[in-house]
Amino acid sequence: MVKTEEVEDAYKVAKERYAEIGVDTEAAIKQLNKVKLSVHCWQGDDIHGFLFPGQELTGGIGVSGNYPGIARTPDELSGDLSEALSLIPGSHKVQMHAIYAVTDKKKDLDEIEPEDFSYWVDWAKKEKIGLDMNGTFFSHPKVKHNFTLASPEKDIRDFWIEHGKRTRAIANYFGKELGQQSVNNLWIPDGFKDNPIDKATPRLRLIESLDEIDKKQYDEKNTIEAFEGKLFGTGIESYTVGSHLFYNNYALTRNKLWTIDAGHWHPTEDVSDKFSAFLPFGKGLMLHVSRPVRWDSDHVVIFDEALVRIARSLVRDNELSKTNIGLDFFDATINRVAAWVIGARATQKALLQGMLEPIDQLKKAELNYDFTTRLAETEELKSYPFGAVWDEFCLRNDVPVGNDWLDNIHQYEKDVQFKRN
């Protein structure tokens, strides 16, 4: 078990080392404490939800593994989330999906209401956290030939338009009840497996559907919409209606948020480069932090180079205030609560490392064409004792330091999760 005195002693040394290059570690800790992550609920139950028990995952969605202890009820899932949040430093939010409605009535996606999420609002109030929302446009019989809002059939479009309207009302309810803006994210699986003849008409239908969904005005203090594109999906390899450029333009012209999912791009693209290209024009971003292996496989986020680049860009370009950071991955080959903790803490570590840079000095060197200093200093920073600052951050937030949190997981498995099977 990590000793408090050792953490504090190491932090004193690190604080002095960083001060030598003009970095205030106290300011970095304070800055990181302000960043709220939106933890995704669907890691805890492999995206099953509670609205349609036993329904198969479709629409390009799939989860690998069968690790014991999956959450099967609202109480089990909220309990697992509470355990995870107790091991993640700071105060955060949780992302919901429409299929996580808790109701004793049989309802379809076009019938859900804010009251069907009162369970989650009551839980969030106890945890003192906010809630974000996602419409569930997959794993449903009305996803017809991979089409929802862009479907050529009006009755299909109307069903999903009504669903979209209801998710907005639920997000507004979250914001009003919890006093924190709720981001309502929209992603759809619409597209073609093989080459289409008509690429324009499905997008015109999608525009019309989205405009209809967003017709009612809500106070942005409570909720705002975000739109998530994709390069391609399983079963729609040749054409995606809601492409990145489509939603980029839709968000710009409707003054909404654009969602960037780190796994939805070509493997050779640098996702972090998108932020500064969009934000000078756009209202803001919803970021889904994921880890694509080969492509959009939604592996648990780790502290890798791609994540570091994402975090550094947000910090260096002062874009955190316009960016909502959410997690989006699902892995059933490991403990599901541990997955949340690993991904969230990795994201926070990457942000902290970005905050522990003499950014103004480095920008000045770059402005003066002193690329030698820029390269030398950024290389040296890689071996600076940022881990000691991270441990201090955890200590101050009263969460386990180092790998001590894993002891909590093992005990939670023994006492709670493994008893479910």
Side-chain angles (χ1 to χ4, degrees):
M1 187 172 183
V2 178
K3 296 179 180 178
T4 300
E5 290 182 4
E6 293 176 353
V7 172
E8 292 175 341
D9 289 344
Y11 175 67
K12 289 178 183 177
V13 174
K15 184 177 181 180
E16 292 173 0
R17 287 290 310 281
Y18 278 107
E20 292 171 1
I21 58 171
V23 174
D24 185 346
T25 57
E26 290 294 318
I29 289 174
K30 185 177 180 180
Q31 185 181 9
L32 184 58
N33 252 326
K34 295 179 181 178
V35 178
K36 289 179 180 287
L37 303 183
S38 193
V39 180
H40 57 309
C41 74
W42 50 93
Q43 162 62 40
D45 77 328
D46 302 346
I47 329 179
H48 291 306
F50 309 117
L51 209 55
F52 311 116
Q55 186 157 292
E56 182 184 1
L57 291 176
T58 60
I61 305 294
V63 180
S64 301
N66 57 356
Y67 195 88
I70 184 174
R72 303 160 301 180
T73 67
D75 286 348
E76 288 180 353
L77 183 57
S78 63
D80 289 354
L81 280 162
S82 293
E83 178 68 16
L85 291 169
S86 74
L87 303 174
I88 301 168
S91 176
H92 303 288
K93 302 170 79 178
V94 165
Q95 294 183 74
M96 305 306 303
H97 243 288
I99 51 174
Y100 290 87
V102 180
T103 174
D104 57 2
K105 302 175 184 177
K106 189 173 182 179
K107 289 190 174 183
D108 210 335
L109 291 170
D110 63 340
E111 300 170 316
I112 54 173
E113 300 173 280
E115 65 188 40
D116 299 321
F117 287 83
S118 61
Y119 173 93
W120 291 106
V121 166
D122 291 343
W123 171 77
K125 287 178 179 178
K126 292 177 184 176
E127 291 287 336
K128 298 179 180 179
I129 62 171
L131 294 175
D132 288 326
M133 185 63 185
N134 291 264
T136 304
F137 293 84
F138 54 83
S139 300
H140 193 279
K142 287 192 181 291
V143 180
K144 192 172 180 181
H145 298 294
N146 294 324
F147 273 84
T148 62
L149 292 175
S151 172
E153 299 182 41
K154 187 177 184 302
D155 63 323
I156 297 294
R157 293 199 307 276
D158 287 346
F159 174 87
W160 292 110
I161 287 170
E162 183 61 29
H163 174 57
K165 290 179 177 179
R166 288 174 180 263
T167 63
R168 293 187 69 220
I170 293 164
N172 183 64
Y173 165 64
F174 288 164
K176 287 177 67 175
E177 289 291 321
L178 301 173
Q180 298 183 46
Q181 186 187 62
S182 177
V183 178
N184 183 38
N185 187 60
L186 185 145
W187 171 82
I188 59 173
D190 296 36
F192 288 111
K193 182 175 181 63
D194 217 333
N195 297 321
I197 302 301
D198 185 354
K199 292 186 176 183
T201 305
R203 286 178 173 148
L204 293 175
R205 289 194 296 259
L206 179 53
I207 292 171
E208 189 176 301
S209 295
L210 295 175
D211 286 347
E212 179 62 29
I213 288 172
D214 285 350
K215 189 173 288 186
K216 183 174 181 178
Q217 296 297 308
Y218 289 106
D219 190 340
E220 285 192 1
K221 181 178 68 175
N222 299 327
T223 185
I224 188 170
E225 289 71 43
F227 300 91
E228 179 179 358
K230 202 167 189 176
L231 180 64
F232 71 93
T234 304
I236 57 165
E237 291 84 358
S238 296
Y239 170 75
T240 300
V241 182
S243 64
H244 294 305
L245 185 57
F246 176 91
Y247 282 129
N248 179 309
N249 289 329
Y250 191 82
L252 284 173
T253 55
R254 270 59 175 180
N255 201 32
K256 303 294 184 179
L257 305 183
W258 182 34
T259 300
I260 292 180
D261 186 306
H264 286 190
W265 299 80
H266 191 281
T268 61
E269 288 191 86
D270 183 356
V271 173
S272 67
D273 191 46
K274 316 298 176 186
F275 310 149
S276 59
F278 175 78
L279 285 174
F281 310 97
K283 188 179 190 72
L285 289 171
M286 178 71 205
L287 173 64
H288 279 183
V289 183
S290 183
R291 177 166 58 109
V293 175
R294 309 298 183 210
W295 184 67
D296 184 32
S297 54
D298 287 301
H299 280 61
V300 177
V301 170
I302 60 172
F303 187 39
D304 61 3
E305 181 59 28
L307 182 62
V308 168
R309 285 198 301 269
I310 286 172
R312 274 198 310 231
S313 291
L314 292 174
V315 174
R316 288 174 176 177
D317 292 330
N318 197 29
E319 293 166 339
L320 283 170
S321 63
K322 295 183 71 177
T323 305
N324 301 272
I325 304 176
L327 306 180
D328 187 6
F329 51 78
F330 29 89
D331 187 348
T333 67
I334 64 174
N335 182 286
R336 295 170 181 82
V337 177
W340 275 319
V341 180
I342 292 167
R345 288 171 70 121
T347 303
Q348 290 178 296
K349 288 176 186 177
L351 289 167
L352 179 61
Q353 191 176 63
M355 294 167 182
L356 291 170
E357 292 183 335
I359 296 173
D360 291 341
Q361 294 177 36
L362 291 169
K363 286 184 176 180
K364 183 178 180 180
E366 185 172 81
L367 192 62
N368 291 328
Y369 309 112
D370 186 357
F371 305 138
T372 303
T373 295
R374 182 184 66 182
L375 180 59
E377 290 196 3
T378 52
E379 282 300 296
E380 285 301 317
L381 279 167
K382 292 177 180 178
S383 60
Y384 263 64
F386 111 91
V389 184
W390 166 255
D391 288 346
E392 179 71 12
F393 177 71
C394 290
L395 190 66
R396 294 187 188 184
N397 278 279
D398 197 28
V399 300
V401 176
N403 265 341
D404 284 355
W405 66 267
L406 198 53
D407 294 336
N408 296 62
I409 294 294
H410 289 152
Q411 192 64 46
Y412 189 71
E413 281 186 333
K414 181 181 176 182
D415 295 343
V416 180
Q417 290 177 295
F418 286 175
K419 290 182 178 180
R420 296 172 186 167
N421 294 73

